[in-house]
Amino acid sequence: VQLVESGGGLVQPGGSLRLSCAASGFTFSSYAMAWFRQAPGKEREFVARISRSGSIILYADSVKGRFTISRDNAKNTVWLQMNSLKPEDTAVYYCAADQSTVPHRTTAPYNYWGQGTQVIVSS
């Protein structure tokens, strides 16, 4: 099983980034996918979640209206489009896979995790 994130980097406030997470080694379409993030000295927090089919999407209040999660089951990939970035969005971003249909916002239920990609929002 592998989840490989990419697309992180340094961006100015107000800018955009698109993160990707490529999955392999499991039946991607049978798992809900989510993005979490962890800033230095803080706990890992929920960012967004998309159901197996993509029909149910959840966002943290802090990113609602700025971030968009999407997936393509044919490509075994999930994305996080991040617009209007703020310095407080600076963190390591992780994708995660959850076999349950319960819309979990905590880390424990997730079965698989990527290694993370760093996002720095700074002028």
Side-chain angles (χ1 to χ4, degrees):
V1 172
Q2 273 197 313
L3 293 173
V4 180
E5 300 98 333
S6 60
L10 174 64
V11 63
Q12 292 187 342
S16 298
L17 281 175
R18 190 190 195 204
L19 305 184
S20 299
C21 173
S24 61
F26 64 101
T27 306
F28 182 74
S29 59
S30 296
Y31 287 72
M33 298 298 297
W35 289 93
F36 287 77
R37 66 187 182 186
Q38 188 166 18
K42 294 188 176 182
E43 293 187 353
R44 195 168 297 188
E45 66 172 3
F46 171 80
V47 174
R49 175 185 169 106
I50 187 167
S51 64
R52 298 169 181 178
S53 66
S55 60
I56 301 173
I57 290 175
L58 302 174
Y59 294 102
D61 288 344
S62 59
V63 307
K64 201 172 294 183
R66 301 188 297 122
F67 291 10
T68 302
I69 189 171
S70 60
R71 69 186 294 163
D72 185 334
N73 287 343
K75 296 181 178 179
N76 287 0
T77 302
V78 60
W79 295 275
L80 185 68
Q81 177 67 45
M82 305 187 296
N83 298 329
S84 302
L85 283 162
K86 306 175 180 179
E88 52 263 43
D89 294 317
T90 295
V92 177
Y93 283 71
Y94 299 89
C95 70
D98 181 10
Q99 198 170 19
S100 168
T101 57
V102 177
H104 295 118
R105 293 175 181 249
T106 57
T107 59
Y110 285 80
N111 305 97
Y112 307 126
W113 290 86
Q115 83 290 346
T117 185
Q118 176 75 58
V119 171
I120 299 173
V121 184
S122 175
S123 55

